[in-house]
Amino acid sequence: MSEIKKKIQSILPGGDWNPLYDTSYLPPEGSDVVIVGGGVLGLSVAYWLKKLEKPRGAIRVLVVERDHTYSRASTVLSVGGIRQQFSVPENVQLSLFSVDFLRNINEYLAVADDPPLDIQFNPSGYLLLASEKGAAIMENNVKVQRQEGAKVCLMSPEQLRNKFPWINTEGVALASYGMEHEGWFDPWCLLQGLRRKVQSMGVLFCRGEVTRFVSSSNLMKTASGEEVNLKRIHEVHVKIDQSLEYQPVECAIVVNAAGAWSGQVAELAGIGNGPPGTLQGTKLPVELRKRYVYLWHCPQGPGLETPFVIDPSGTYFRREGLGHNYLGGCSPTEEEEPDPGNLEVDHDFFQDRVWPPLAQRVPAFETLKVRSAWAGYYDYNTFDQNGVVGPHPLVINMYFATGFSGHGLQQAPAVGRAVAEMVLEGHFQTINLSSFLFSRFYSGEKVQEHNII
């Protein structure tokens, strides 16, 4: 039956009443929590809010996502790695929590009558290589990882050659290898699994873009006598997809999980709009950075036992599937940062910057053939390349889940829980992420993570 016939029939006597104008695409007029960004971080926050709410159904949650195809989403354009090989204890804890979530995903995200999720977790581990210069740092990092419960071993160049004979160990002084709970998985499956689950829990979705926050201000004095302006957001304006109209949504809490665009969302809320050097003038230092991923074919390559390898040069690669294919890339230097205005791929970057260290480390890669490539975005935290989690000190009902600079996907299950705990309980419970609060940008206290890829 045609749509128009259905609509006519619905208003005839005895028909189910439906208005002639479909408003199902509009967001509700009010929601307790509005989450800006429907990638894995936003969806994870939504999941944990509904999972931890008391009583059930107590909180109304709306997720606003402008790219419903996720064609530009960092989640689905990533290489899907998960590791515990970080230097900051909180990062190790986040990834340990998240890997447990992923390995038991159907205990968390099962939906009645829907097929179980197959996240395609590949537990091949991460293999980090260090030069003479980086060996001492690697030893310290592994100490931290082991203290937090990660199963990581150190390997000498000789041990490395014995276990992975395809590696050229020239210039390698030490290696660290994740023996458990490391590898890679299917990001699209996690995204779809979270989306399916939160919909079943009553979370609402809206395809649109947040264009304005309406807030009230309250002038307060700190203990030291300094005047500060506290703001509270009351209303979010959502511009409807492919339309000029917008819908105001009343809310109590806003979660900024807009990834690479979260800096712009923060600006809309007036964050950073104050005198330089003050808390009011402190911006959210998260910006769009473009990263390339290349897929190549190499029948003589390392084979099925290949871990996720990270070279001292910063070049990385992993196996992709069973057909002698590999994924990899390398982060550019500050001077080489490409224009993030589009998602075009620079193939010369592979020839000049990625292939030479690859072929040097794995001689078999001298004969590789690039099959395809794509670009994705990092939500790059220019301050210290670590996540921003929890409330803003002045815009008191805006919470952050952003700025992870490439490791947000793998830590999303744990970060979502942390933000939900902060919203519901007022403090972190499972993992203390106080060092990831926004206030560090004002105080200048960096979270120094050595293993950023």
Side-chain angles (χ1 to χ4, degrees):
M1 191 189 296
S2 74
E3 285 304 303
I4 191 70
K5 271 189 183 168
K6 279 186 195 167
K7 282 177 178 171
I8 290 168
Q9 197 175 56
S10 74
I11 55 170
L12 291 173
D16 293 329
W17 165 248
N18 273 315
L20 279 174
Y21 297 103
D22 177 23
T23 58
S24 62
Y25 64 92
L26 290 172
E29 289 178 4
S31 182
D32 299 306
V33 181
V34 174
I35 298 172
V36 186
V40 284
L41 278 161
L43 294 177
S44 178
V45 174
Y47 168 77
W48 286 109
L49 282 170
K50 298 301 287 179
K51 177 93 173 156
L52 301 175
E53 69 181 350
K54 290 180 187 133
R56 216 162 139 192
I59 303 171
R60 194 173 208 197
V61 180
L62 170 69
V63 175
V64 180
E65 171 56 52
R66 64 181 179 182
D67 176 15
H68 71 287
T69 64
Y70 292 98
S71 61
R72 288 154 62 88
S74 303
T75 298
V76 296
L77 297 171
S78 89
V79 292
I82 183 161
R83 61 188 163 106
Q84 284 82 57
Q85 293 188 62
F86 289 97
S87 64
V88 171
E90 291 89 340
N91 279 330
V92 183
Q93 292 167 26
L94 286 169
S95 286
L96 281 169
F97 180 96
S98 292
V99 80
D100 178 73
F101 183 97
L102 293 173
R103 299 208 78 161
N104 300 288
I105 194 159
N106 286 299
E107 287 176 28
Y108 291 100
L109 301 186
V111 174
D113 301 328
D114 278 5
L117 295 167
D118 178 11
I119 201 109
Q120 294 176 37
F121 185 78
N122 191 307
S124 295
Y126 265 66
L127 179 67
L128 275 64
L129 309 177
S131 62
E132 198 69 59
K133 198 172 80 175
I137 292 173
M138 177 175 275
E139 282 191 73
N140 285 334
N141 292 351
V142 169
K143 240 181 238 169
V144 171
Q145 293 151 19
R146 286 174 175 166
Q147 279 166 359
E148 298 303 330
K151 303 271 194 307
V152 181
C153 71
L154 286 167
M155 299 170 87
S156 67
E158 189 185 355
Q159 289 169 317
L160 198 55
R161 280 192 297 272
N162 289 338
K163 185 160 179 66
F164 303 110
W166 39 266
I167 280 188
N168 168 18
T169 57
E170 187 188 331
V172 175
L174 194 63
S176 62
Y177 177 54
M179 297 179 289
E180 261 184 30
H181 305 317
E182 287 194 335
W184 54 91
F185 63 95
D186 178 1
W188 181 250
C189 178
L190 176 61
L191 179 81
Q192 292 302 323
L194 276 166
R195 196 177 159 97
R196 183 182 80 173
K197 180 64 176 178
V198 299
Q199 280 180 306
S200 78
M201 296 166 103
V203 170
L204 303 170
F205 281 82
C206 169
R207 192 198 312 176
E209 184 175 355
V210 170
T211 55
R212 187 179 171 219
F213 295 109
V214 179
S215 55
S216 61
S217 297
N218 197 2
L219 210 58
M220 305 281 281
K221 274 195 176 174
T222 64
S224 62
E226 187 192 348
E227 282 195 339
V228 291
N229 199 10
L230 294 185
K231 288 173 82 174
R232 178 179 286 277
I233 296 166
H234 297 286
E235 201 173 81
V236 178
H237 286 193
V238 180
K239 182 180 168 293
I240 307 308
D241 190 41
Q242 295 177 335
S243 161
L244 293 174
E245 64 184 310
Y246 76 87
Q247 171 86 12
V249 181
E250 285 185 13
C251 64
I253 301 280
V254 174
V255 178
N256 184 347
W261 295 271
S262 56
Q264 295 166 21
V265 172
E267 277 178 30
L268 282 178
I271 290 168
N273 183 17
T278 65
L279 184 53
Q280 236 163 322
T282 303
K283 293 182 183 299
L284 176 68
V286 176
E287 61 183 47
L288 211 59
R289 293 281 175 101
K290 185 161 85 169
R291 296 291 178 264
Y292 306 120
V293 179
Y294 303 90
L295 177 109
W296 62 88
H297 184 68
C298 184
Q300 289 76 44
L304 294 181
E305 297 302 306
T306 312
F308 197 126
V309 179
I310 299 165
D311 191 66
S313 64
T315 306
Y316 69 86
F317 70 90
R318 69 162 174 82
R319 179 173 59 76
E320 171 66 2
L322 305 174
H324 308 293
N325 291 322
Y326 301 85
L327 282 182
C330 174
S331 285
T333 62
E334 283 288 333
E335 297 73 43
E336 294 170 324
E337 278 294 347
D339 172 15
N342 59 57
L343 283 175
E344 287 169 17
V345 175
D346 180 354
H347 292 277
D348 290 339
F349 187 77
F350 183 84
Q351 298 292 334
D352 301 339
R353 288 277 281 106
V354 182
W355 196 5
L358 275 178
Q360 194 271 332
R361 188 62 59 218
V362 183
F365 281 158
E366 283 178 15
T367 60
L368 65 78
K369 296 271 187 296
V370 176
R371 286 269 173 92
S372 65
W374 66 88
Y377 290 124
Y378 270 16
D379 53 342
Y380 193 82
N381 174 354
T382 58
F383 181 75
D384 62 9
Q385 292 81 62
N386 273 295
V388 192
V389 182
H392 188 269
L394 298 179
V395 183
I396 55 176
N397 62 337
M398 176 173 273
Y399 291 72
F400 298 105
T402 186
F404 285 86
S405 310
H407 50 273
L409 168 71
Q410 60 180 290
Q411 296 182 342
V415 172
R417 179 162 190 141
V419 174
E421 288 170 353
M422 193 51 113
V423 168
L424 298 172
E425 305 295 336
H427 57 94
F428 297 120
Q429 291 179 311
T430 311
I431 300 169
N432 184 359
L433 297 180
S434 300
S435 58
F436 285 11
L437 289 167
F438 180 96
S439 49
R440 76 185 193 269
F441 305 133
Y442 172 61
S443 63
E445 293 167 47
K446 292 188 177 186
V447 180
Q448 289 292 1
E449 174 56 65
H450 298 295
N451 287 348
I452 298 292
I453 296 159

